[in-house]
Amino acid sequence: MHLDHLRWLGGPNLYVSRPVAIARLELEELTGRETTDFPGFADRLVPLLPGLTQHHCSAGRPGGLLEAMARGTYFGHVTEHVTLELSSMIGREVFFGRTVWAGAPGRYDVILECPRDEPPEDPIVERLLRLAMRTVTELLAGGAPVLGPEVTALASAYGQTRLGVSTAALAEAARRRGIPVRRMGHLNLLQLGHGRYRRMVWAAMTDRTSAVGMETAADKMLTKRLLEEAGLPVPSGCIVTSAEEAVAVLAEIGGPVVVKPLSGHHGEMVSIELSDPAEVSAAFRAAATVCEEVLVESYVPGRDHRVLVVGEQVVAAAELSPARVTGDGRSTIAGLVARANADPARGEGHDRPLTRLALGDTELAHLAGRGLSPGHVPADGETVTLRRNANLSTGGTSKDVTDRMHPDVIRLCRRVAATVGLDVCGIDLRLPDIGAPLPPEASGVGVIEVNSSPGLRMHLAPYEGRSRDVAADIIDQMYPPGATARVPLVAVTGTNGKTTTVRMVAHLLGQDGRQVGMSTTEGVYVGNELIYKADASGPRSAQMVLGNRTVEAAVLETARGGIVRRGLGYDRADVAVITNITDDHLGVDDIDTVEDLVEIKALVAEEIRPGGHIVLNADDPRVAGFADRPAVRRRKPVVRYFAQSGTNEVVSRHLRAEGVAYFVEDGWLVEAESGRTRALLPIGDVAGSFGGKADYMVANALAAAAAARALGVSMSLVARGLQTFDPHRCNPGRSCSFRVEETPIIVDYAHNPAAVAAVGGLLRRVWGRDGVATVTLPGDRCDDLVMETAREVARAFDRVVVYEDEDLRGRRAGEMTRLIIDGLTQERPDVRIRTAGDLKDAVGIALGLTTPGEPLLLLYEKLQPVADLLQTLGAAPTPTSETPR
């Protein structure tokens, strides 16, 4: 078998609400072969990966996979489970997997859950998958795969890219609060919240952490001086740059002393309790390998503690002990170290609650100073320390002592944090007993360091004592309980009318004084400013809107392609709007039927917040049925239907159940709820509706009104917004009317049968005659859909000019022209057809075919060339709120 390609869906998707990777596998020689065709395969696989015995598979219970292999299952399915098990072996906890047929014999898509905060397109997924494929194929060939070295290498690679313990805890704490979380690339940097409520946190540093405080804490001497001037206890000492100076300081302040790099961290090259000049000289040389400037300061007797201050509150305290092992009377120190390191809680650096113990030069020197070596066998119960310093990063352990803190110590730590000026800080203290009053003598307590980005793992998972959810304390500092982290979010999907509805909803929310971020097929807007020009209806553009600190409400066009290829760009919406579902994009991304489109579009309704709103087109049975989907009903949504008439059976039944609906009654847009009907405005006053004759614009207005009302916009502001939604300014390229001399030109993006039928019907209702159509269609639609769209053009127009867009979307030159002409002539053999080489020629030919006052429909792919051409022609925009004369 081989891996054809791999893609990632970072947001909620058709399979699960978490990120997934989708691997396209070609089974090749294994096509049609099952596990039962290879006797003994499962018997060889399970001992290699014993965890497979616990895989549920479709049986929903442990052992389900073994049962499936015994009955016979395809090897794409087996590869899925082997990948999941390998993932578990490296500590990458994911559980969801699915294998589905991908449209050809031996071709399967393997869907694999990914950790929420794993960077997109991280190579770890492919490496796991390829190892799984090799394991399966080697076993089938009679080989004996050796997994240990590769699993170890994968575990190491995963440890380097996964979130650190502190950052992972912050992400989890935020999600528990319902706060959106997004990891930025491979960094330990999180974006929390949306829009105006967006915050950033990098490990334990927040976007409110003072830069001055950080720089102060990073300079140990400056910190000492600042604290000393505030009357806070710090050990005496000074900076030296030579071994001779270090020895001189020892003589001046007296021993014992501590020698450490001025800008060191994690206890690196720190030597403590030194009194001998030779020891101090050697310690200086070691520290100087980290930093040229070395700090020599008085040693404060007592125990090491780390106190965490968040805001103005002390939230946790830990007593720290140096790396150590406890003898059993049989094992050597080296053996005890190896046994300790087998604990899965220990890892390299900071990727686990505990750090692996080492027997490096520092540890060997420490042991030698006590007359010990790695081969020594300690007595049963005897504790042997491996280092003098108690840093967790060198294998030390922590014991929670939060509840023992004396009020004197708490007040001291609060003063330290305030003096340095940090919202989150870790304070290193040495004192005899954290539960007792502060010693009266100045040398009895010392603030050793202040950390501006303190590690949290010693509090989250102490070696002894109660764990403290300090990550939640930091999140609560950033978002006080009850504070919101989200802006109102409206997601709009469907086949036709998405862009117009998005723009209209944004316009209505803007009437309420909100700064609206909007993503559409034309680009990303914040307020009235285009900040990113592109087809922006996917996850990337959604994140662009939601990450903008000025945005107070978001309206996101959510297109089929983005959902299928990348998932949703948000975790949940407040309002989901589904305009309609008709034939479009069939034959693309393995979408073959309208039912496929229904499943894709339904995701937008299924991923709303509990108690959110869904706005559904009651005139479209497929869309109206979304309210009854189990995944939608579990959200307990407020359903808001819209329809062209209140006599619609779905609307009538909904109103009898005291629901809310929007429809046209006696020429007015109305809102109906619980037996009460309220008029919004006459349909003829809807801007862009051609005096109410554009049924699709009326439908868009109803949908937009429903969404805006769901977010609390008043009836009067909705009415004003619908009246002022000028197409030329607010909705360019969608049913915009121009005039060139005596010829009205309607510019529209209609590109599927339903859209062409709608705009063709409009022109007949407004002008009462066939007009001329200038047509191009997107090349990424299947042949049948292109021809059906062309047939709709022929039903509405007796003269058609056909041209091809510059972007052929994979088609050969002339291919689309041929397909369109075939569709036109099949429907209407007498249709007059002209072809043109480009847009400019096409419009010129079409203008020559029109008679005075006869409309010309211009369909396009890219709006800017159309706008430029109309300007060249001197086209004048005309209003569309009333029927043209």
Side-chain angles (χ1 to χ4, degrees):
M1 71 180 90
H2 82 268
L3 175 62
D4 184 76
H5 65 265
L6 187 65
R7 58 190 172 91
W8 284 258
L9 280 63
N13 52 76
L14 298 175
Y15 307 101
V16 69
S17 61
R18 301 174 298 280
V20 298
I22 302 180
R24 173 66 56 85
L25 292 188
E26 298 283 355
L27 296 188
E28 296 179 328
E29 71 279 0
L30 292 174
T31 298
R33 309 291 298 276
E34 298 186 4
T35 49
T36 49
D37 295 329
F38 297 86
F41 169 77
D43 295 335
R44 296 193 303 276
L45 175 63
V46 172
L48 191 64
L49 297 167
L52 292 176
T53 61
Q54 299 302 307
H55 285 218
H56 290 205
C57 201
S58 57
R61 62 180 181 277
L65 174 64
L66 302 189
E67 295 173 13
M69 289 196 291
R71 291 192 307 268
T73 188
Y74 291 124
F75 285 96
H77 181 216
V78 174
T79 302
E80 167 209 323
H81 280 274
V82 172
T83 305
L84 289 173
E85 183 57 27
L86 290 169
S87 181
S88 177
M89 291 170 66
I90 67 171
R92 185 176 175 269
E93 294 296 329
V94 292
F95 305 98
F96 174 83
R98 182 176 296 170
T99 300
V100 297
W101 186 64
R107 180 180 300 162
Y108 290 90
D109 282 339
V110 177
I111 299 98
L112 299 164
E113 180 187 355
C114 295
R116 285 185 185 274
D117 299 307
E118 189 167 270
E121 303 180 9
D122 192 297
I124 198 73
V125 184
E126 183 172 346
R127 292 180 62 182
L128 286 165
L129 183 63
R130 290 193 181 277
L131 178 56
M133 294 166 60
R134 288 200 305 273
T135 300
V136 171
T137 54
E138 284 183 32
L139 281 173
L140 290 173
V146 177
L147 297 180
E150 288 197 70
V151 169
T152 299
L154 283 167
S156 176
Y158 178 58
Q160 292 172 12
T161 60
R162 70 189 300 181
L163 283 179
V165 173
S166 298
T167 312
L170 289 164
E172 180 184 355
R175 290 191 172 105
R176 287 200 304 268
R177 284 273 311 274
I179 297 169
V181 178
R182 180 184 171 213
R183 183 182 183 181
M184 307 304 290
H186 285 73
L187 302 173
N188 276 295
L189 175 64
L190 302 178
Q191 176 180 296
L192 307 180
H194 287 160
R196 65 181 296 187
Y197 305 112
R198 192 207 79 188
R199 300 287 306 274
M200 306 292 282
V201 59
W202 193 325
M205 291 187 298
T206 80
D207 51 13
R208 305 283 171 83
T209 298
S210 162
V212 173
M214 288 175 56
E215 290 296 325
T216 300
D219 187 326
K220 293 180 175 61
M221 279 303 293
L222 177 58
T223 302
K224 287 167 62 72
R225 178 180 175 183
L226 198 63
L227 297 178
E228 188 174 30
E229 290 182 353
L232 293 162
V234 293
S236 58
C238 61
I239 299 171
V240 299
T241 56
S242 69
E244 292 76 16
E245 290 180 357
V247 172
V249 172
L250 170 66
E252 180 181 345
I253 65 176
V257 296
V258 175
V259 179
K260 57 186 176 182
L262 184 62
S263 59
H265 53 86
H266 304 318
E268 188 177 21
M269 295 302 176
V270 174
S271 302
I272 66 174
E273 205 170 354
L274 307 179
S275 297
D276 183 77
E279 289 181 324
V280 171
S281 181
F284 170 83
R285 288 191 293 271
T289 62
V290 176
C291 177
E292 292 182 357
E293 294 183 307
V294 174
L295 179 61
V296 180
E297 64 184 12
S298 298
Y299 172 75
V300 178
R303 299 172 181 172
D304 289 291
H305 298 87
R306 165 63 67 82
V307 178
L308 182 67
V309 181
V310 177
E312 298 180 353
Q313 302 301 317
V314 172
V315 298
E319 182 179 315
L320 307 181
S321 299
R324 65 191 189 276
V325 293
T326 302
D328 59 8
R330 300 183 306 275
S331 305
T332 65
I333 291 175
L336 293 169
V337 167
R339 184 188 305 168
N341 286 337
D343 183 348
R346 288 192 182 270
E348 300 293 341
H350 296 264
D351 66 330
R352 293 288 190 275
L354 298 172
T355 299
R356 291 170 62 87
L357 302 179
L359 283 175
D361 292 343
T362 301
E363 290 79 12
L364 294 176
H366 176 76
L367 290 174
R370 298 183 57 189
L372 302 175
S373 71
H376 174 75
V377 178
D380 187 20
E382 179 186 354
T383 297
V384 177
T385 60
L386 304 178
R387 299 178 69 105
R388 298 290 306 271
N389 63 299
N391 296 76
L392 263 64
S393 55
T394 56
T397 56
S398 63
K399 174 183 177 182
D400 179 70
V401 293
T402 307
D403 292 335
R404 292 192 60 246
M405 291 188 75
H406 191 275
D408 286 356
V409 181
I410 293 173
R411 285 191 291 271
L412 169 68
C413 292
R414 293 177 63 182
R415 286 180 59 200
V416 169
T419 300
V420 178
L422 290 169
D423 61 336
V424 178
C425 73
I427 300 169
D428 291 340
L429 288 177
R430 281 186 67 85
L431 71 169
D433 184 357
I434 201 168
L438 293 176
E441 64 277 7
S443 61
V445 61
V447 178
I448 307 303
E449 286 187 18
V450 177
N451 301 274
S452 61
S453 183
L456 306 182
R457 60 179 180 154
M458 67 185 71
H459 309 298
L460 295 166
Y463 192 70
E464 298 179 63
R466 172 186 164 189
S467 64
R468 303 285 171 172
D469 192 2
V470 292
D473 293 316
I474 294 174
I475 295 300
D476 287 347
Q477 167 73 10
M478 300 176 72
Y479 294 95
T484 184
R486 299 172 180 267
V487 296
L489 193 161
V490 181
V492 180
T493 195
T495 302
N496 295 317
K498 296 188 299 296
T499 299
T500 296
T501 303
V502 164
R503 290 168 169 172
M504 196 175 281
V505 173
H507 184 69
L508 298 185
L509 295 177
Q511 302 301 302
D512 206 20
R514 310 187 202 193
Q515 173 85 318
V516 182
M518 172 179 72
S519 65
T520 75
T521 52
E522 301 297 334
V524 175
Y525 290 79
V526 174
N528 295 320
E529 181 184 0
L530 175 64
I531 65 169
Y532 178 67
K533 184 173 179 59
D535 183 348
S537 55
R540 181 185 177 192
S541 53
Q543 291 163 2
M544 195 177 298
V545 170
L546 296 173
N548 190 298
R549 286 291 303 273
T550 70
V551 166
E552 296 173 315
V555 188
L556 308 175
E557 183 170 345
T558 309
R560 162 212 54 86
I563 297 173
V564 172
R565 296 170 195 154
R566 295 292 179 183
L568 295 179
Y570 51 87
D571 60 342
R572 66 192 195 204
D574 296 283
V575 183
V577 180
I578 295 85
T579 59
N580 48 64
I581 299 178
T582 66
D583 293 356
D584 199 5
H585 294 286
L586 301 185
V588 180
D589 293 325
D590 299 323
I591 301 169
D592 299 318
T593 67
V594 177
E595 286 67 34
D596 292 337
L597 281 175
V598 169
E599 293 303 310
I600 293 166
K601 304 288 188 180
L603 183 66
V604 175
E606 293 170 347
E607 292 295 333
I608 62 166
R609 65 171 172 81
H613 301 255
I614 53 174
V615 177
L616 303 177
N617 184 351
D619 290 328
D620 186 327
R622 296 187 182 97
V623 173
F626 281 15
D628 295 323
R629 294 177 70 93
V632 173
R633 295 179 67 177
R634 283 195 293 270
R635 303 286 180 163
K636 297 182 172 20
V638 176
V639 180
R640 295 171 180 260
Y641 284 112
F642 67 94
Q644 293 286 346
S645 170
T647 62
N648 177 288
E649 178 54 32
V650 174
V651 168
S652 298
R653 186 169 60 248
H654 189 58
L655 291 176
R656 288 195 296 272
E658 298 189 349
V660 58
Y662 302 79
F663 49 87
V664 177
E665 184 175 77
D666 297 329
W668 284 72
L669 302 185
V670 300
E671 175 186 84
E673 183 177 13
S674 302
R676 180 186 180 190
T677 300
R678 303 172 64 191
L680 269 169
L681 80 164
I683 61 172
D685 289 349
V686 176
S689 71
F690 290 87
K693 289 184 169 59
D695 292 342
Y696 54 91
M697 278 299 295
V698 172
N700 293 335
L702 290 166
R709 292 287 292 147
L711 294 182
V713 181
S714 69
M715 293 283 285
S716 61
L717 289 180
V718 169
R720 186 174 76 184
L722 294 178
Q723 287 177 301
T724 57
F725 186 71
D726 173 44
H728 296 287
R729 179 174 54 86
C730 304
N731 198 27
R734 265 65 177 179
S735 294
C736 288
S737 178
F738 298 84
R739 183 171 291 275
V740 174
E741 297 180 351
E742 296 300 314
T743 301
I745 299 179
I746 307 303
V747 177
D748 200 87
Y749 187 61
H751 55 277
N752 56 51
V756 168
V759 73
L762 169 67
L763 267 62
R764 282 194 300 271
R765 287 191 295 275
V766 173
W767 280 274
R769 62 180 110 170
D770 285 350
V772 177
T774 305
V775 176
T776 187
L777 294 174
D780 60 354
R781 272 56 168 184
C782 65
D783 291 0
D784 289 346
L785 187 57
V786 171
M787 292 185 66
E788 178 56 33
T789 306
R791 284 192 283 269
E792 282 293 351
V793 173
R795 293 179 189 121
F797 300 92
D798 59 359
R799 286 150 292 163
V800 181
V801 181
V802 181
Y803 73 101
E804 289 189 346
D805 190 71
E806 293 180 3
D807 183 1
L808 299 178
R809 302 197 187 190
R811 297 277 189 172
R812 297 185 302 274
E815 185 179 1
M816 287 296 293
T817 297
R818 176 184 58 78
L819 283 172
I820 294 170
I821 291 174
D822 286 349
L824 292 169
T825 55
Q826 283 181 14
E827 179 64 31
R828 191 170 186 171
D830 63 341
V831 65
R832 294 169 57 189
I833 302 171
R834 297 282 299 275
T835 60
D838 57 21
L839 171 67
K840 180 179 178 181
D841 288 344
V843 172
I845 293 170
L847 286 171
L849 294 176
T850 60
T851 59
E854 191 174 37
L856 187 161
L857 173 65
L858 174 54
L859 303 184
Y860 68 93
E861 270 293 285
K862 298 290 188 296
L863 181 58
Q864 191 58 51
V866 173
D868 294 341
L869 177 60
L870 291 175
Q871 184 176 16
T872 300
L873 294 173
T878 57
T880 56
S881 57
E882 298 178 358
T883 302
R885 293 190 299 274

